Amino acid sequence: MSFGRSSAVYIHQQALSSTSNQATEVSSVTIHPVALFSILDHYLRRKDEQARVIGTLLGTVLDSGEVEVRSSFAVPHSESEQQVAIDGDHHRTMYELHHRVNPKEVVVGWYSTGSNLNANSALIQNLYSQETTPLQAVHLAINTGLEESGKGAGVKAYISSPVGISPKPENCVFVPVPVELRFRETEKSGLDLLASASSAATGPGITQPISDLEALEQSIKSVTTMLDRVLGYVRSVLAGEVRGDPAVGRYLLDTFAASTDDLEQGGFNASLQDTLMVSYLANLVRSQAEISSRLALAATS
Amino acid sequence: MAAAIAASLPTVQTAPTPAAPRQETLPASWNKSIDAEAEIPITTVQIDGLVTTKIIKHSLDSGSNAHGLLLGLDLDGVLETSNCFPLPNQSPDEDEKSVKSVGRYQSQMLRSLSEVGSVDSVVGFYQSAKLGAFFKQSLVEAQAIHQEKLRHGGIVIVHDTTTTSRGNASFRAFRLTKPFIEAHRRHNFSSASLINQRLTFSNILEEIPVKIRTNPLLNSVLGTLTESHRSPLSCALPSEATTSAIPPTYSTLDIGSVGLTRNLEQLIEAVDNHKVEESNLAYLSRQIARERLKADQYITKRREENAARIAQGLAPLPEENISRLFKIPPEPSRLESMLLLGQIDGFSKSLASASSSGLVTMYAVKASSEA
């Protein structure tokens, strides 16, 4: 690969050649909340003198070239202007331990906090790429939102491309790839719980799990407030106080035009009876279980 | 940067002035919360956001039987769990090799975690359950083992995957009660022992209130993630008008009683299991009664004989040890039947709560369709 070209062209060529001789190419990255939260926790627990923390990303690679980052663990390292050292033993031990619980997850790359990429990053990237071949290692740069003022928290994903006439490990170009937060629908409630903790009025970041009915009550209340807001808006438009926004009007039409006529009365009553029946049954079984356990105590005494 | 340092300090809600990390003397307000002998009882369990997400992920990845260890510290009656790690699923035949390898796994994991500055003291374990049925022999046994080893006896956090997928993440913390520990220590779950300890399924475990905590850094990131952005298009589709990494959900408002059938099936299965267990117990106790009757008859017969011999002036026959002649089986353990009752109770509780929220949604829909 000793062609004299400008680096931009070279990257392009590299991307093309990688499709021809590699099974897949990283097209996008998704990150699971667990991985993200582990990284934040690691960042909080870093030593004072550490400017940034790094660690390994585990996950799966889909056929489409999408890399799913599903968990992460911390790796101790030290770096200075001259050199960078990574605890390889720790990385291998942790990987083996993770592998025992979740054999499907493999090393897909590494993370670091802070958004600056330097020569050390390139060296670490080179190291991880050896583990993830034939795929390029994914590098996630997590900006925790604390280091640079004016920049909010954010996550960026990169893959690397060697650069220069003769590729050297400390030289590479980080090519950004799209990244998004991905979680299963069933995990959503866990995040909702955390979100309610982070915005709780009771105290700083503390909340209590609630029962099903309370959750339902909250949802219904929030829907009612939204309806009130819409009603207020519509009334003020009708009264001519506010000029109606046609876009909002169309959204409202779409939302409320959903017909509820197909909800026939008979079906409702039958379903209501079923649900009531189940509810009685559940309570009956509970009291029977309680009686049975009390009888076991009373017997033979 | 100051915010980052403040956030990395240990949680000091009780102390108004947090001490610098390297300072040797603790603030005066900490004095009453220092408890080297674990004398202050645990009143609350505080679960970190990281722990909740890790447990949810592990539970979903590995199906119903996910369990792992909780790491943390206790401070002034609050047990703070700040990290956790999953344990590999044990094979049903618990041979010595697999037990040993799990032990090795644990110690390696703890060592590795302490290398990166994470908490490395085990405070309990977590277990996933379905439909509220977490009473299992394995759970109680594991907790009984921890009871002796851990400070404060350790706790167990039960995570219900079913309610979580219905839209309300459920975490409950439990520890074993004193009567149960007493009975377990003596390996005695006969009915007499149960009566003495007044032990039913409802007082095997006692629940400890749970709090969910997110650290300030996580708060800020969650704030960024839940922020919604307006679509750049002025007339985008309603579903695409605003985007956000974590959109708000109203999955609790879904109509239809999801999973009630499954719940009912499980309930019936548990009742059947309990019936089988009860008839086993009844069979065993009938057998005991029969053997005891035989032994009693033998003794009275021998006594009558001896009385007759003494009257005739002969030497009485020796009264042999009846336990050698008649094998009276030991009284069966009622633990299994008690746990099954607990399971039935769990299933019916979740059934009741699911059906009641179903009722509420149905009436809400009816009201809105009439309006």
Side-chain angles (χ1 to χ4, degrees), chain A:
Chain A
M1 284 288 215
S2 54
F3 307 111
R5 298 181 194 209
S6 79
S7 62
V9 179
Y10 188 77
I11 298 162
H12 185 64
Q13 282 300 316
Q14 181 66 21
L16 275 182
S17 65
S18 67
T19 42
S20 58
N21 57 22
Q22 281 171 3
T24 44
E25 182 197 4
V26 178
S27 62
S28 67
V29 177
T30 61
I31 178 168
H32 190 274
V34 167
L36 184 61
F37 293 173
S38 302
I39 296 167
L40 294 177
D41 187 66
H42 183 201
Y43 179 73
L44 280 183
R45 292 173 187 282
R46 76 195 186 284
K47 296 191 188 86
D48 278 352
E49 67 271 15
Q50 272 183 300
R52 65 172 182 177
V53 292
I54 68 158
T56 305
L57 299 173
L58 298 176
T60 49
V61 182
L62 304 181
D63 289 337
S64 56
E66 191 182 306
V67 175
E68 271 190 286
V69 176
R70 300 184 42 79
S71 58
S72 70
F73 59 83
V75 176
H77 87 297
S78 67
E79 61 181 311
S80 61
E81 290 289 313
Q82 289 86 31
Q83 60 169 1
V84 54
I86 292 174
D87 192 340
D89 286 341
H90 183 93
H91 164 75
R92 263 187 301 281
T93 319
M94 280 302 271
Y95 176 55
E96 275 160 25
L97 293 174
H98 273 269
H99 199 72
R100 281 192 57 184
V101 177
N102 216 329
K104 274 185 232 154
E105 293 178 2
V106 293
V107 176
V108 293
W110 65 291
Y111 68 81
S112 79
T113 55
S115 48
N116 58 330
L117 301 162
N118 52 25
N120 290 346
S121 299
L123 282 172
I124 302 170
Q125 173 75 13
N126 182 49
L127 201 70
Y128 273 96
S129 290
Q130 289 164 10
E131 295 232 7
T132 58
T133 46
L135 217 65
Q136 302 106 307
V138 172
H139 171 49
L140 280 184
I142 316 289
N143 183 5
T144 51
L146 295 174
E147 282 161 1
E148 294 146 82
S149 57
K151 260 187 172 177
V155 180
K156 286 199 176 79
Y158 300 96
I159 52 172
S160 68
S161 209
V163 67
I165 295 168
S166 54
K168 281 190 222 160
E170 67 268 30
N171 293 342
C172 80
V173 167
F174 283 99
V175 186
V177 278
V179 59
E180 66 172 311
L181 195 73
R182 168 86 54 91
F183 44 85
R184 277 169 283 193
E185 200 51 43
T186 42
E187 287 169 286
K188 182 74 196 357
S189 58
L191 289 174
D192 286 342
L193 187 67
L194 295 185
S196 77
S198 71
S199 58
T202 48
I206 288 193
T207 188
Q208 278 169 330
I210 49 173
S211 74
D212 278 359
L213 274 180
E214 283 170 308
L216 191 58
E217 189 190 349
Q218 281 181 7
S219 304
I220 292 178
K221 268 186 186 156
S222 88
V223 169
T224 321
T225 28
M226 282 193 278
L227 282 178
D228 285 345
R229 227 179 99 195
V230 168
L231 203 61
Y233 172 77
V234 170
R235 284 212 177 109
S236 61
V237 168
L238 286 180
E241 291 161 21
V242 187
R243 222 165 67 86
D245 184 345
V248 174
R250 203 164 304 130
Y251 291 156
L252 288 180
L253 188 69
D254 273 355
T255 313
F256 289 102
S259 163
T260 50
D261 289 341
D262 50 344
L263 217 86
E264 49 175 326
Q265 201 62 32
F268 176 80
N269 282 336
S271 179
L272 181 71
Q273 276 167 5
D274 285 353
T275 318
L276 277 176
M277 183 70 202
V278 170
S279 168
Y280 290 142
L281 179 73
N283 285 319
L284 189 68
V285 171
R286 266 192 74 193
S287 24
Q288 291 276 0
E290 194 67 41
I291 291 171
S292 164
S293 70
R294 300 279 154 184
L295 279 181
L297 290 192
T300 70
S301 61

Side-chain angles (χ1 to χ4, degrees), chain B residues 350-367:
Chain B
S350 74
L351 191 60
S353 94
S355 57
S356 59
S357 49
L359 275 182
V360 175
T361 36
M362 280 172 72
Y363 274 109
V365 169
K366 198 180 174 209

